[in-house]
Amino acid sequence: MGWATKDHQVCLAHLIRDVQYAIDCGDDVLGPDLRRLLEEACGIGSRRADLSDATLKSYKYRLEARLDRLMARTPRRSAGVALAAMIKRTRRFLFVFLTNRELPPTNNGSERAIRLTLAGKPLAPPVPS
């Protein structure tokens, strides 16, 4: 609820952090290869301006095929099971940035802008005297 039904991009940097948490909790079936896949997708995103639409489409096809193979695995630990469920829920929003150049693969730029805006504000309202 609240998400766009079209052209929404999951922040891959945050997803990588969640994958790392699953790895740290013992998932060795899905997490390590999923992290590599997402890191590769971020790398493609950083080179996107120099790539043609046909190349991006090819990359998306390859990433989706690798993700298909990863999702066919059965995690043994609860963190891996939870990770697989999260990927199933958000899968259609993982690689939207490859077909919509207006969307970045991460929202790190937006978060930095918010942090800079909030940096000059006091942490607590002044106490009336």
Side-chain angles (χ1 to χ4, degrees), residues 15-120:
L15 189 54
I16 290 169
R17 180 195 62 203
D18 294 341
V19 171
Q20 185 59 52
Y21 175 78
I23 293 168
D24 293 344
C25 289
D27 176 55
D28 58 353
V29 174
L30 185 58
D33 290 332
L34 181 58
R35 184 183 61 204
R36 282 190 283 281
L37 176 95
L38 296 173
E39 288 170 346
E40 182 179 327
C42 286
I44 294 167
S46 69
R47 301 188 324 268
R48 184 173 54 171
D50 300 326
L51 301 173
S52 71
D53 289 344
T55 300
L56 290 173
K57 187 176 181 180
S58 174
Y59 277 134
K60 183 176 182 181
Y61 175 79
R62 290 178 191 167
L63 291 170
E64 291 283 357
R66 281 176 56 196
L67 187 57
D68 284 341
R69 290 189 298 276
L70 285 174
M71 295 305 292
R73 298 177 182 178
T74 304
R76 296 183 299 256
R77 303 210 179 226
S78 61
V81 172
L83 180 61
M86 178 176 45
I87 296 300
K88 286 178 185 175
R89 282 192 314 271
T90 61
R91 181 176 179 149
R92 66 185 174 140
F93 304 113
L94 294 181
F95 306 124
V96 177
F97 73 97
L98 292 171
T99 55
N100 184 340
R101 289 178 183 266
E102 293 178 17
L103 296 175
T106 71
N107 65 1
N108 287 342
S110 299
E111 287 190 355
R112 275 192 294 275
I114 290 170
R115 248 182 256 119
L116 289 174
T117 302
L118 296 175

